[in-house]
Amino acid sequence: MRIFLAGASGVIGRALIPRLVADGHVVGGMTRSVAKTELVKGLGAEPILCDVFDRDALIQALGDFKPDVILNELTDLPDDATRIGAHAELNARIRTEGNQNLIEAARRAGSPKILAQTVAWQLPDGPDALAVAELERSVLAEGGVVLSYGQFYGPGTYNEKQVPAEPRIHIDRAAERTVQALREPSGVVVITD
């Protein structure tokens, strides 16, 4: 399949690309950072430089790539885990406006299947919890698949040296299960240990 991976340079994107390529898929790896295009290419994907908030550019990128599947692994999280709370509104925006832009671009590209990342734990009331609920609703309304991940641990994650509380999933296992989820029917797929 042709897979458009939004968030290709993120922690799950970096783990996913080699597995998707090894499984025989052609991967277009979207990143908004020029500096990360070489990383995406080195992992085996065709780098696609695009910002999810630039709706017209996103529509063009999806139209050019012609995906069978869109994998939305976008987040806007800080490098420092202690600053996650300060990023709640940024992360909420990428889950709402960014996700809606992907859905609109998908519709214009022939409505490929959409799989999108959320979390397998209850978020505290606030913008991020509302954004997760909106993302899940909108993806399911398109006949897509919600990937409900536990907290990542392992190389490159916030939890490199310690195993977090449940629900959790090792980053490598999360990537393996995501590749398997490409064949899932519409619904919620919980990806935890």
Side-chain angles (χ1 to χ4, degrees):
M1 290 186 285
R2 293 181 62 78
I3 299 174
F4 185 93
L5 174 56
S9 62
V11 66
I12 186 71
R14 293 189 309 263
L16 268 170
I17 293 171
R19 287 168 174 83
L20 291 167
V21 171
D23 207 35
H25 304 293
V26 175
V27 180
M30 186 183 98
T31 180
R32 64 181 168 187
S33 168
V34 173
K36 293 182 179 174
T37 56
E38 285 304 312
L39 166 72
V40 170
K41 186 176 183 179
L43 291 168
E46 173 189 324
I48 298 171
L49 185 61
C50 186
D51 189 321
V52 75
F53 298 118
D54 184 341
R55 195 168 154 265
D56 293 336
L58 184 62
I59 289 167
Q60 183 69 48
L62 268 162
D64 290 347
F65 187 73
K66 298 176 180 46
D68 301 301
V69 171
I70 296 170
L71 257 175
N72 176 1
E73 297 288 357
L74 291 168
T75 57
D76 192 346
L77 297 170
D79 291 336
D80 178 356
T82 63
R83 300 206 21 88
I84 289 174
H87 274 247
E89 288 189 21
L90 296 172
N91 205 35
R93 180 179 180 224
I94 212 161
R95 286 181 167 149
T96 52
E97 182 184 340
N99 185 61
Q100 279 307 125
N101 286 347
L102 271 173
I103 287 172
E104 178 60 29
R107 288 176 182 156
R108 293 186 187 207
S111 296
K113 183 176 183 177
I114 299 173
L115 292 87
Q117 168 190 143
T118 65
V119 296
W121 63 92
Q122 184 66 45
L123 291 168
D125 288 343
D128 217 23
L130 292 171
V132 164
E134 172 60 22
L135 180 143
E136 291 177 356
R137 185 206 59 73
S138 63
V139 168
L140 293 173
E142 295 295 315
V145 177
V146 170
L147 303 170
S148 185
Y149 293 106
Q151 295 183 80
F152 295 145
Y153 65 96
T157 71
Y158 289 142
N159 301 296
E160 283 190 312
K161 300 190 184 332
Q162 75 280 355
V163 176
E166 293 182 348
R168 62 182 174 245
I169 182 80
H170 190 279
I171 192 65
D172 292 331
R173 184 71 181 123
E176 291 165 8
R177 299 260 312 272
T178 302
V179 173
Q180 294 165 358
L182 294 172
R183 294 164 185 81
E184 291 288 331
S186 181
V188 178
V189 175
V190 177
I191 300 178
T192 59
D193 284 344

